[in-house]
Amino acid sequence: MIDQMLPPAVAAAESFGDPPDARLFPEERAALGEAGAARRREYTTVRHCARRAIGALGLPPVPILPGVRGAPRWPDGVVGSMTHCAGYRAAVVARDSAVRTLGIDAEPHEPLPDGVLGFVGLPEERARVARLSRLEPRVCWDRLLFCTKEAVYKAWFPVTGSWLGFDGARVSLRSDGTFHARVLVAPPAEHPTAPRDFTGRWLAREGLVVACVVVPASAP
Ligand SMILES: CC(C)(COP(=O)(O)OP(=O)(O)OC[C@H]1O[C@@H](n2cnc3c(N)ncnc32)[C@H](O)[C@@H]1OP(=O)(O)O)[C@@H](O)C(=O)NCCC(=O)NCCS
């Protein structure tokens, strides 16, 4: 499903279930620690997906350990992102010579709980969600806005090492399956060239919304 959202430089793998043959490296098991069954399943399957995607780049399987603030630590020369939600897990990776950073997020295709849009959306984003909801009521635009912002955060954090609140980026959703995000805060002084414009694609299918941003290595 996600392949169609991605440029050729990005390798992806996804799973709608938890394959029984998915295995963790001992270091990954240690990093997970005590976790409930659901967390163990998503953590294991998404790493299984990540190794399939890394394999598609021609690289060997390696442990993918959580790093600073939970951001995955990819092998040298690789950038990537992972997501999981009920019934879906996905990983996207690319060589850092082709892609500077990546972010992916998947969510159940359901309206956000009451009150959450007010926390997630800037006034103009909420106005756009309302307009798009009138034009295309089959899409849960509020959930999609949330999903795109999480994808942006997952691409922003590995480059900057810095937090981004929901008011820290403005997303323009488009009904053609694309979106643009502009980060509204300055990057940290030690990362002055961090990207602030993110172009992404989204889709709503199989009871899910999925959003992905890809910043090419050649981007200014
Ligand atoms: C970190 C966060 C984005 C994860 O999203 P989520 O919908 O809760 O969960 P998902 O299943 O989609 O993604 C989880 C995966 O994201 C990755 N991840 C976690 N923290 C991350 C970070 N700081 N940077 C990049 N990737 C991160 C991990 O791979 C994680 O899976 P793992 O724990 O099995 O390794 C979310 O919990 C969060 O903190 N959001 C607030 C920040 C934000 O989104 N701001 C919006 C800015 S406009």
Side-chain angles (χ1 to χ4, degrees), residues 13-19 45-46 48-49 52 85 87-91 208:
E14 65 191 346
S15 178
F16 292 87
D18 293 309
T45 303
V46 83
H48 180 74
C49 291
R52 279 168 44 210
C85 67
Y88 188 70
R89 292 83 168 80
L208 301 163

Side-chain angles (χ1 to χ4, degrees), residues 46 50 72 74 79-83 90-93 102-105 150-151 154-155:
V46 83
W74 299 100
V79 293
S81 183
M82 299 190 283
T83 187
V92 287
V93 297
L102 281 171
I104 187 170
D105 194 68
E150 295 224 305
K154 290 183 193 175

Side-chain angles (χ1 to χ4, degrees), residues 39 43 46-47 69-72 82-84 105 107 149-150 153-154 157-158 163-166 169:
R39 172 62 178 143
Y43 178 93
V46 83
R47 281 164 174 75
R69 284 214 194 187
M82 299 190 283
T83 187
H84 27 59
D105 194 68
E107 297 282 327
K149 288 192 145 188
E150 295 224 305
Y153 175 68
K154 290 183 193 175
F157 184 85
W163 172 251
L164 194 61
F166 283 97

Side-chain angles (χ1 to χ4, degrees), residues 29-47:
R29 261 199 302 279
L32 177 62
E34 293 299 317
R39 172 62 178 143
R40 185 167 292 277
R41 279 197 300 272
E42 67 178 20
Y43 178 93
T44 303
T45 303
V46 83
R47 281 164 174 75

